[in-house]
């Protein structure tokens, strides 16, 4: 924004604001879209084994899109503007799509992978994050249709994601074509902003880094724009290096009934699974160990985790087999 140049001289800014200003000062070269091709990148897993194999690429190409298969660090589809002249540069455009069949969405919600996936998409730093949900909402017995609609509303209202529902793969492909058209029209009007050097990204907003499991799972993240694809991939792969603490929290979230607040309460007492296991072993009896976490409080209301969930968590970390 226009305030970036004047704010750099202020010595009273916070460290995060100063960093924001420094990022905003990085030079950009605005170039005409005529010098670029817009490429739709499709994650290699989207065209892997199965009935969708090659079909997505074939249909996109048939409809006039330039597309390529890549092993994307995040998302199923994203777009880059690639320079026609050498040396080739690829600038990430501000849109990423996570495509899910309704059955996949239901499965991820039931298995607690849903929150982690949301957090990963928010970490992309792109403002246009799209959940492309494919298939009928009423044909799944494992989760009520109302619960799926609630998930849609949460993605949109709480996280700011666009949720687009289609009934078939063909309709999904039509949507991807439409997204590409909009991106082309936008950049034809404003051009493509290319960083003058690598490892440069313009930060839209500066937020405090997430340092708790709840923040990591649900918190806000810095937004980026005008980033080279190679830098974007490097940043996303680096952010994928999960700490042991976050991994422990993710394991807790896999247990039915263990919400983010409950997992966070446990993490405040036990730093990792090893600490919890040692505490369980120190209990005098099996009955005592099952109640180990029962009195821990969570959330604003200070409710207790309770004996039933405490027992399930202890069994999860101590028994040879466990049914989630």
């Amino acid at each position: 924004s226009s305030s970036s140049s004047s704010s750099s001289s202020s010595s009273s800014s916070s460290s995060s604001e100063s960093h924001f200003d420094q990022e905003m000062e990085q030079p950009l070269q605005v170039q005409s879209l005529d010098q670029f091709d817009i490429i739709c990148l499709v994650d290699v897993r989207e065209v892997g084994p199965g009935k969708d194999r090659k079909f997505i690429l074939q249909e996109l190409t048939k409809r006039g899109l330039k597309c390529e298969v890549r092993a994307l660090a995040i998302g199923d589809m994203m777009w880059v503007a690639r320079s026609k002249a050498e040396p080739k540069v690829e600038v990430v455009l501000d849109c990423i799509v996570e495509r899910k069949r309704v059955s996949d969405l239901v499965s991820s919600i039931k298995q607690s992978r849903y929150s982690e996936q949301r957090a990963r998409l928010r970490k992309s730093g792109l403002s246009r994050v799209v959940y492309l949900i494919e298939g009928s909402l009423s044909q799944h017995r494992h989760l009520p249709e109302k619960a799926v609609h609630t998930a849609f509303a949460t993605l949109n209202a709480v996280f700011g994601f666009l949720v687009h529902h289609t009934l078939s793969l063909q309709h999904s492909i039509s949507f991807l074509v439409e997204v590409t058209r909009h991106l082309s029209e936008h950049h034809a009007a404003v051009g493509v902003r290319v960083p003058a050097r690598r490892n440069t990204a313009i930060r839209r907003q500066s937020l405090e880094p997430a340092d708790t499991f709840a923040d990591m799972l649900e918190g806000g993240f810095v937004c980026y724009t005008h980033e080279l694809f190679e830098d974007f991939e490097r940043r996303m792969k680096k952010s994928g290096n999960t700490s042991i603490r976050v991994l422990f929290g993710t394991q807790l979230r896999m247990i039915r009934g263990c919400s983010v607040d409950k997992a966070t309460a446990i993490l405040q007492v036990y730093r990792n699974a090893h600490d919890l296991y040692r505490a369980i072993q120190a209990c005098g009896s099996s009955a005592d160990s099952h109640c180990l976490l029962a009195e821990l409080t969570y959330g604003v209301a200070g409710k207790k985790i309770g004996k039933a969930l405490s027992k399930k968590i202890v069994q999860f970390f101590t028994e040879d087999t466990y049914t989630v």
Side-chain angles (χ1 to χ4, degrees):
S1 65
S2 59
S3 63
S4 60
S5 58
S6 61
S7 62
S8 60
S9 61
S10 175
S11 59
S12 61
S13 300
S14 68
S15 60
S16 62
E17 288 173 340
S18 298
H19 185 67
F20 172 74
D21 296 335
Q22 292 167 11
E23 293 287 350
M24 288 296 287
E25 284 185 338
Q26 301 292 352
L28 288 174
Q29 301 169 349
V30 181
Q31 301 180 18
S32 168
L33 182 61
D34 294 340
Q35 302 176 54
F36 293 84
D37 290 316
I38 289 185
I39 314 293
C40 176
L41 302 181
V42 181
D43 185 55
V44 65
R45 286 156 291 198
E46 278 294 289
V47 292
K51 65 180 181 179
D52 293 348
R53 182 178 178 83
K54 298 183 180 178
F55 183 75
I56 295 174
L57 283 177
Q58 289 174 349
E59 287 298 305
L60 290 175
T61 303
K62 190 186 301 182
R63 301 194 194 192
L65 271 67
K66 291 182 171 67
C67 50
E68 293 180 5
V69 176
R70 299 271 181 96
L72 300 179
I74 186 172
D76 294 315
M77 292 91 177
M78 62 185 298
W79 287 260
V80 296
R82 178 194 293 156
S83 62
K84 296 178 180 177
E86 299 289 345
K88 300 288 187 183
V89 295
E90 293 180 332
V91 180
V92 174
L93 303 184
D94 192 18
C95 187
I96 189 166
V97 171
E98 177 77 11
R99 171 180 169 253
K100 283 190 178 297
R101 298 180 183 86
V102 173
S103 57
D104 296 333
L105 179 65
V106 168
S107 175
S108 65
I109 292 173
K110 288 173 69 67
Q111 297 178 21
S112 301
R113 289 183 286 113
Y114 181 53
S115 297
E116 186 179 0
Q117 290 166 347
R118 280 190 318 221
R120 289 270 295 154
L121 285 165
R122 293 192 78 190
K123 267 196 163 182
S124 73
L126 302 179
S127 65
R128 297 177 180 87
V129 178
V130 182
Y131 259 81
L132 180 57
I133 309 299
E134 192 177 291
S136 171
L137 302 181
S138 60
Q139 295 179 354
H140 291 276
R141 298 165 294 175
H142 302 294
L143 199 69
E145 185 175 345
K146 182 179 179 180
V148 179
H149 281 291
T150 299
F152 285 7
T154 302
L155 285 169
N156 182 252
V158 178
F159 297 96
F161 297 168
L162 169 67
V163 179
H164 187 81
H165 177 226
T166 65
L167 294 177
S168 69
L169 180 56
Q170 283 284 8
H171 290 125
S172 296
I173 289 170
S174 296
F175 172 75
L176 296 174
V177 172
E178 189 69 10
V179 170
T180 307
R181 184 181 68 81
H182 280 293
L183 288 171
S184 299
E185 290 177 353
H186 173 72
H187 288 283
V190 303
V192 178
R193 297 183 178 185
V194 183
R197 61 178 181 268
R198 284 172 167 72
N199 299 314
T200 298
I202 303 305
R203 295 190 174 208
R204 284 206 187 90
Q205 53 182 301
S206 185
L207 304 177
E208 291 302 314
D211 57 5
T212 69
F213 176 68
D215 290 338
M216 179 69 73
L217 212 56
E218 306 287 7
F221 299 97
V222 174
C223 289
Y224 295 79
T225 186
H226 315 308
E227 189 173 16
L228 295 181
F229 177 75
E230 61 186 274
D231 294 334
F232 174 85
E233 286 286 288
R234 188 181 303 114
R235 178 168 61 83
M236 293 312 304
K237 288 174 180 176
K238 183 178 180 181
S239 70
N241 294 332
T242 308
S243 70
I244 293 176
R245 187 165 182 264
V246 173
L247 180 60
F248 177 40
T250 303
Q251 290 174 319
L252 290 169
R253 287 283 288 123
M254 292 174 62
I255 302 169
R256 189 183 301 278
C258 190
S259 65
V260 171
D261 284 344
K262 293 173 185 176
T264 301
I266 295 169
L267 282 164
Q268 288 172 349
V269 180
Y270 305 102
R271 296 170 302 172
N272 50 53
H274 179 66
D275 285 355
L276 176 60
Y277 185 78
R278 288 178 61 185
I280 293 170
Q281 294 299 305
C283 292
S285 65
S286 177
D288 289 341
S289 69
H290 288 168
C291 297
L292 177 65
L293 308 173
E295 296 299 311
L296 292 181
T297 59
Y298 65 92
V300 178
K303 294 182 179 179
K304 294 181 179 180
I305 286 179
K307 293 182 180 179
L309 180 58
S310 176
K311 180 179 179 180
K312 288 171 65 176
I313 293 172
V314 169
Q315 289 175 332
F316 180 88
F317 286 101
T318 57
E319 296 189 359
D320 293 335
T321 60
Y322 178 82
T323 302
V324 179

